[in-house]
Amino acid sequence: MTFADATPRWAGAAGAVAGSSASALATATELARDLGLAPVSIADGDRPAYHAAASVASNYLVTLLCAAETLAASGGVTREMLAPLVRQAVENWVADGAGALTGPIVRGDEDTVRRQRAAVAARVPELLELFDGLTAATRVIAPSARDPRGLAAGELPGVAA
């Protein structure tokens, strides 16, 4: 869980638990439950990937949203104006994973993508590398957003596990 202030909100959060013995694991599990967490055991070898995923889902999401805020501000749009879009996109992702993806890449509208890239290059060129990387990643995911069968949980097409 991420905490940007001193008031932790644990509701609905998973708690990764581990222990060097069965007794230690039981204690960690009990502590997680006492805090209102849903305990999940993650093998030691999987912890770096788990933590990286948590960083992407929280810290990097904030970084991405700050980039969007900077670009939006160049046209007079505020963070507060983007907030409903962000909230709905997250709720859609929770409900439908890659199926929540919308926009010009999913539609195959390359003219719009080119215009967007030109706007980023002109207004906030320091974000162009990020835009290009996200565009490429979205192109990998987009076919599954159009595919009514969708993706298995966590699966990215064309990316080896």
Side-chain angles (χ1 to χ4, degrees), residues 93 96-99 141 144-145 147-157 159 161:
W93 171 80
D96 202 23
I141 298 168
S144 67
D147 183 349
R149 294 170 295 156
L151 290 176
E155 178 184 354
L156 290 179
V159 178

Side-chain angles (χ1 to χ4, degrees), residues 9-103:
R9 289 174 289 281
W10 302 97
V17 295
S20 57
S21 68
S23 175
L25 179 58
T27 299
T29 300
E30 184 179 339
L31 177 60
R33 285 191 179 119
D34 287 348
L35 291 170
L37 298 169
V40 59
S41 181
I42 297 179
D44 286 345
D46 293 332
R47 283 185 171 278
Y50 157 76
H51 195 253
S55 291
V56 170
S58 59
N59 296 318
Y60 297 170
L61 178 59
V62 172
T63 300
L64 179 62
L65 294 174
C66 288
E69 179 182 12
T70 299
L71 183 58
S74 77
V77 175
T78 66
R79 174 181 353 139
E80 293 76 18
M81 294 167 81
L82 292 174
L85 173 67
V86 172
R87 287 186 188 103
Q88 188 62 57
V90 169
E91 289 301 319
N92 292 348
W93 171 80
V94 168
D96 202 23
L101 193 60
T102 65

Side-chain angles (χ1 to χ4, degrees), residues 73-133:
S74 77
V77 175
T78 66
R79 174 181 353 139
E80 293 76 18
M81 294 167 81
L82 292 174
L85 173 67
V86 172
R87 287 186 188 103
Q88 188 62 57
V90 169
E91 289 301 319
N92 292 348
W93 171 80
V94 168
D96 202 23
L101 193 60
T102 65
I105 294 173
V106 173
R107 293 190 309 269
D109 183 357
E110 291 300 319
D111 288 338
T112 295
V113 175
R114 279 190 287 281
R115 286 192 303 274
Q116 290 174 342
R117 186 180 191 282
V120 172
R123 292 173 180 242
V124 194
E126 64 272 21
L127 295 178
L128 193 55
E129 185 177 353
L130 176 63
F131 181 88
D132 288 344

